[in-house]
Amino acid sequence: LCMMEKFEPVLTPEELRSRLPSWPYFIIDLQLWDGHTKKEKGKLCFQVNQSYGLLKDYFTGSELAITWAGEEFRKTFNGPLDRLTVYEGPTAEFLREKKIEEVVLLDPWAEEVLSEKDFDVKAFIIGGIVDMGGEKKLTPKIGEELESAGIRVRRRKIVLRGDVIGVPDRINRILGIILKMMVEGKGMEEAVYEMQ
Ligand code: SAM
């Protein structure tokens, strides 16, 4: 008995999990799905599938969560629906279920530039938006919706030499830039060049 007392107690699964690295969620928010044409919806699905491919090279793929994923999305998407996280409800509801209170929203209209300090959040949100030219100010709406549901939102932009011009705005490219910075430890410039 005396000997036994020298050993550390066995960890509970909960304690064990807290010692393992936990990957954040990368959420593609589809709340603006209905505002897209059929062709754009097809492109959006394609970019979601590309994002899944990218993510499973780094993690498992299930860290990719698609929120506001209605029936039309599920029908149009011809990727492995069962390997990613598909959530029909609002993003804020998904976050609440996962006990996530603060997120980074990738937003080309943000004031602040994404940095290493932002890599401590448990979820990154990318707007499920396809608009060539990108002059419409749509992503901030996603931020407002989250904030009104009580989520803390850090709006962050990705820039090249101080400007969003020159940064590819496709969802999968944006995800690729974050992954190169976060997992490979690359600087923003380098990550952007590699994803162009
Ligand atoms: N005009 C749209 C808007 O208002 O944001 C452009 C949407 S862009 C095609 C799709 C998503 O990619 C955005 O919602 C955002 O999450 C992300 N994104 C694109 N360019 C970005 C940048 N320079 N910095 C941060 N996020 C960006």
Side-chain angles (χ1 to χ4, degrees), residues 106-109 125-131 134-140 156-159 164 167-171 174:
L106 279 303
D107 180 359
W109 305 94
I125 320 273
I126 301 175
I129 302 163
V130 170
D131 67 330
E135 67 278 0
K136 276 195 226 137
K137 201 168 176 174
L138 299 170
T139 311
R156 296 292 184 264
K157 63 181 171 185
I158 295 171
V159 294
V164 292
V167 177
D169 72 349
R170 273 202 258 154
I171 295 160
I174 292 295

Side-chain angles (χ1 to χ4, degrees), residues 7 14 17 20 26 38 40 43 76 79-80 82 92 103 114 119 121 132 134 139 151 154 165 168 175 184 190:
F7 291 108
E14 199 77 332
R17 213 189 347 252
L20 293 169
F26 297 91
K38 197 162 181 269
E40 286 167 341
K43 284 187 182 169
T76 315
D82 52 328
V103 298
L114 179 75
F119 296 156
V121 289
M132 298 303 158
T139 311
I151 306 286
R154 294 189 212 165
I165 295 165
L175 176 63
E184 296 179 28
E190 196 185 359

